[in-house]
Amino acid sequence: MFAVCCEAHTTKVSRNANIAKLQAGYLFPEIARRRSAHMLKYPEAQVISLGIGDTTEPIPEVITSGMAKKAHALSTLEGYSGYGAEQGEKQLRAAIALTYYGDLSIEESDIFVSDGAKSDISRLQVMFGSNVTMAVQDPSYPAYVDSSVILGQTGQFQKDVEKYRNIEYMKCNPENGFFPDLSTVSRTDIIFFCSPNNPTGNAATREQLTRLVQFAKDNGSILVYDSAYAMYISDDSPRSIFEIPGAKEVAIEVSSFSKYAGFTGVRLGWTVVPKELRYSDGFPVAKDFNRIVCTTFNGASNISQAGGMACLSPEGLEAMHKVVGFYKENTNRIMETFTSLGFSVYGGQNAPYVWVRFPGQSSWDVFSEILEKTHVVTTPGSGFGPAGDGFIRVSAFGHRGNVLEACKRFKQLWQ
């Protein structure tokens, strides 16, 4: 018989105090947990998810055929390849430079191919280290703040204001056109900025981004610009920060194929670190990022990179635009629904997200009410930062039938 131990064994290793600062769970797993609990409560309900921004439509065949061809080639002596360049295959880096930065003087050597923008955000944070200060849009994608906390860049969480100490939260709301009043923003080393923004769906104008670049230059800051939704832009808003004069001296850009080609599971993205970007001592930032990449990463999957090459063929680009167009039509349906119900609705035009205002209400309360009464999963705005409270984000990533059914249920709830 084994003796029953009443106390679990513990090591003598202390927990990382920075991870211990994190509040509850990461936003989207917490939403998934609540969805699962709801499904247990209502096992017969048809639950529709318009919460996490995960694509739902099949990857176009012109793209999957490129990956299939590469996968098959790996079973032949002639086509097999093992480790590749950590920075990505030369041909793909050149294709990204030509397709997205053709007239912006961004070179193949400035581009680092990766397994997605989210991964690169954390790699950049590792490169910056714990002794930097950080500013972030409020609201914004949670990975910016959470990675900053984990790296030790922040103080403790302040429950009374729902903010971490030592982070500069740049409020973005309808009253300021979802662009921060830079005259009130304190100087930080790093500025995270996403346009089109997740979750508000707002795309910054050329004039606004010109001010942002000048702000970074005046303060000696590095701007990390997330352009993962640039292909959804319908107006003349810049699709890259490098459209702004002087940006190469202050900015890094991260992007991804996830929301263009349905690569959320395939995993492929890129980061642009211009050779003109330098630290205070004149050392090129790209050299440090290259070292981080080579130390922490063996390069994106060669099959994924074959998919990236297929994406950037003329046929692949056309197919991606069709995928984006499908989700933009979903967005229109969602916007029309909430507008017809009398809500203040933002975003949508340049992004696959609709940002709906519920004045005087808690975002989590609204999330719970919608889930309980319509069996539709949304995302509470407060999960993206304190300025997001009183809003919900509705994602356009869904099958058309599910989006139409969700809109029908919203009308039944609020009409």
Side-chain angles (χ1 to χ4, degrees), residues 65-86:
S65 63
M67 291 190 281
K69 182 178 179 182
K70 178 63 177 180
H72 178 72
L74 291 173
S75 65
T76 68
L77 283 173
E78 301 79 19
Y80 177 76
S81 60
Y83 291 128
E86 291 91 345

Side-chain angles (χ1 to χ4, degrees), residues 173-323:
N173 57 27
E175 287 68 40
N176 62 17
F178 296 101
F179 187 82
D181 179 358
L182 296 176
S183 68
T184 67
V185 175
S186 299
R187 189 259 170 204
T188 61
D189 296 310
I190 312 299
I191 303 168
F192 278 93
F193 197 92
C194 178
S195 182
N197 176 263
N198 175 15
T200 68
N202 183 74
T205 66
R206 191 170 304 276
E207 186 273 334
Q208 289 171 333
L209 291 179
T210 298
R211 281 192 277 137
L212 182 64
V213 166
Q214 189 60 49
F215 179 77
K217 187 168 289 189
D218 290 344
N219 284 287
S221 305
I222 292 177
L223 174 64
V224 179
Y225 188 83
D226 187 339
S227 66
Y229 300 95
M231 194 176 273
Y232 287 81
I233 293 177
S234 300
D235 58 22
D236 60 354
S237 300
R239 287 160 173 75
S240 168
I241 193 62
F242 300 118
E243 294 181 36
I244 307 302
K248 285 188 288 184
E249 298 172 358
V250 298
I252 293 167
E253 182 165 297
V254 295
S255 198
S256 169
F257 287 99
S258 288
K259 309 301 166 64
Y260 303 166
F263 272 26
T264 51
V266 172
R267 307 307 307 150
L268 190 68
W270 69 91
T271 289
V272 183
V273 189
K275 55 182 63 64
E276 293 87 346
L277 181 65
R278 295 176 179 270
Y279 291 113
S280 59
D281 64 356
F283 194 82
V285 174
K287 287 191 175 181
D288 274 0
F289 189 63
N290 185 67
R291 180 60 185 267
I292 292 293
V293 167
C294 291
T295 300
T296 65
F297 188 50
N298 278 329
S301 156
N302 46 21
I303 297 173
S304 297
Q305 292 190 73
M309 284 302 302
C311 286
L312 300 180
S313 69
E315 299 80 9
L317 287 168
E318 181 182 358
M320 285 197 295
H321 280 292
K322 286 182 179 178
V323 171

Side-chain angles (χ1 to χ4, degrees), residues 85-397:
E86 291 91 345
Q87 304 84 357
E89 294 179 6
K90 186 179 179 69
Q91 185 181 13
L92 178 56
R93 297 168 78 192
I96 291 171
L98 178 64
T99 303
Y100 294 111
Y101 308 99
D103 57 351
L104 301 177
S105 300
I106 294 296
E107 300 175 4
E108 165 208 314
S109 58
D110 298 325
I111 291 170
F112 295 80
V113 175
S114 71
D115 53 344
K118 185 177 184 180
S119 300
D120 274 347
I121 288 164
S122 289
R123 292 186 188 106
L124 287 168
Q125 291 280 39
V126 169
M127 178 184 74
F128 294 138
S130 60
N131 294 322
V132 296
T133 53
M134 195 263 277
V136 64
Q137 288 160 292
D138 178 19
S140 66
Y141 183 44
Y144 311 141
V145 169
D146 282 13
S147 60
S148 187
V149 174
I150 291 169
L151 262 292
Q153 299 169 1
T154 76
Q156 294 293 333
F157 187 73
Q158 302 168 277
K159 290 186 180 295
D160 56 335
V161 291
E162 297 288 313
K163 296 179 180 180
Y164 288 94
R165 292 186 184 277
N166 301 335
I167 290 183
E168 182 72 14
Y169 289 81
M170 305 185 295
K171 182 178 288 188
C172 299
N173 57 27
E175 287 68 40
N176 62 17
F178 296 101
F179 187 82
D181 179 358
L182 296 176
S183 68
T184 67
V185 175
S186 299
R187 189 259 170 204
T188 61
D189 296 310
I190 312 299
I191 303 168
F192 278 93
F193 197 92
C194 178
S195 182
N197 176 263
N198 175 15
T200 68
N202 183 74
T205 66
R206 191 170 304 276
E207 186 273 334
Q208 289 171 333
L209 291 179
T210 298
R211 281 192 277 137
L212 182 64
V213 166
Q214 189 60 49
F215 179 77
K217 187 168 289 189
D218 290 344
N219 284 287
S221 305
I222 292 177
L223 174 64
V224 179
Y225 188 83
D226 187 339
S227 66
Y229 300 95
M231 194 176 273
Y232 287 81
I233 293 177
S234 300
D235 58 22
D236 60 354
S237 300
R239 287 160 173 75
S240 168
I241 193 62
F242 300 118
E243 294 181 36
I244 307 302
K248 285 188 288 184
E249 298 172 358
V250 298
I252 293 167
E253 182 165 297
V254 295
S255 198
S256 169
F257 287 99
S258 288
K259 309 301 166 64
Y260 303 166
F263 272 26
T264 51
V266 172
R267 307 307 307 150
L268 190 68
W270 69 91
T271 289
V272 183
V273 189
K275 55 182 63 64
E276 293 87 346
L277 181 65
R278 295 176 179 270
Y279 291 113
S280 59
D281 64 356
F283 194 82
V285 174
K287 287 191 175 181
D288 274 0
F289 189 63
N290 185 67
R291 180 60 185 267
I292 292 293
V293 167
C294 291
T295 300
T296 65
F297 188 50
N298 278 329
S301 156
N302 46 21
I303 297 173
S304 297
Q305 292 190 73
M309 284 302 302
C311 286
L312 300 180
S313 69
E315 299 80 9
L317 287 168
E318 181 182 358
M320 285 197 295
H321 280 292
K322 286 182 179 178
V323 171
V324 168
F326 175 88
Y327 292 125
K328 286 179 73 68
E329 178 58 29
N330 279 354
T331 309
N332 291 338
R333 303 294 181 93
I334 296 167
M335 290 183 69
E336 289 167 1
T337 296
F338 280 100
T339 300
S340 71
L341 293 169
F343 289 97
S344 295
V345 181
Y346 307 95
Q349 179 186 357
N350 294 314
Y353 301 123
V354 179
W355 191 239
V356 187
R357 194 171 209 168
F358 289 80
Q361 298 187 61
S362 156
S363 292
W364 278 108
D365 288 348
V366 176
F367 165 88
S368 297
E369 179 186 11
I370 293 173
L371 182 58
E372 181 70 22
K373 295 181 178 178
T374 71
H375 307 301
V376 177
V377 179
T378 56
T379 307
S382 58
F384 299 97
D389 201 21
F391 294 85
I392 60 162
R393 190 194 75 175
V394 185
S395 168
F397 293 118

Side-chain angles (χ1 to χ4, degrees), residues 2 9 15 46 95 123 166 265 387-388 399:
F2 291 102
H9 172 75
R15 184 186 181 198
Q46 182 201 355
R123 292 186 188 106
N166 301 335
H399 301 310

